[in-house]
Amino acid sequence: MTEKQFSIEVVFALPDKQSLLEVVIEEGTSVEQAIQKSGILKRFPEIDLSKHKVGIWNRTCKLNDNPRDGDRIEIYRPLIADPKEVRRRRAEKAVEEGRADKVTGGRVKSKSS
């Protein structure tokens, strides 16, 4: 490694398979260039950088951002379900089953006669 080179990681995960690749890049290399250099796009042909979001250390970033020494570039998969909808359904089920409370998110129906 030269003075203007440094090491980063590129990661992508599926439910059954993960990949973490260490890459040496030049100063001024973009996130997109680093991803391409890592070879991860060949390992996971389903990755489409025009659709998948990317981030550095769990913070979304743009493909033209520049990573720094020691950064971890993450490629995010799209969500399967809307988290708000999942929570709403879970709360409705808790109400139906009579176990609604602060944790489940459902509102307990008052027992007034």
Side-chain angles (χ1 to χ4, degrees), residues 15-64:
D16 59 335
K17 180 164 82 168
Q18 300 82 36
S19 189
L20 184 150
L21 305 170
E22 190 172 327
V23 185
V24 175
I25 60 172
E26 298 281 329
E27 204 173 280
T29 300
S30 71
V31 167
E32 183 174 18
Q33 291 168 331
I35 290 170
Q36 289 172 348
K37 184 173 181 179
S38 74
I40 204 161
L41 299 176
K42 290 179 183 162
R43 286 187 185 196
F44 298 94
E46 63 270 25
I47 296 174
D48 181 353
L49 293 179
S50 66
K51 295 180 183 173
H52 288 74
K53 290 187 177 190
V54 297
I56 297 176
W57 291 114
N58 204 31
R59 300 189 89 140
T60 57
C61 69
K62 295 178 181 163
L63 289 171
N64 61 358

Side-chain angles (χ1 to χ4, degrees), residues 7-19:
S7 179
I8 57 144
E9 295 175 336
V10 176
V11 298
F12 181 69
L14 294 171
D16 59 335
K17 180 164 82 168
Q18 300 82 36
S19 189

Side-chain angles (χ1 to χ4, degrees), residues 78-90:
L79 294 175
I80 295 170
D82 177 17
K84 289 181 183 178
E85 181 64 23
V86 171
R87 282 193 298 274
R88 187 184 62 73
R89 284 191 203 146
R90 189 171 50 235

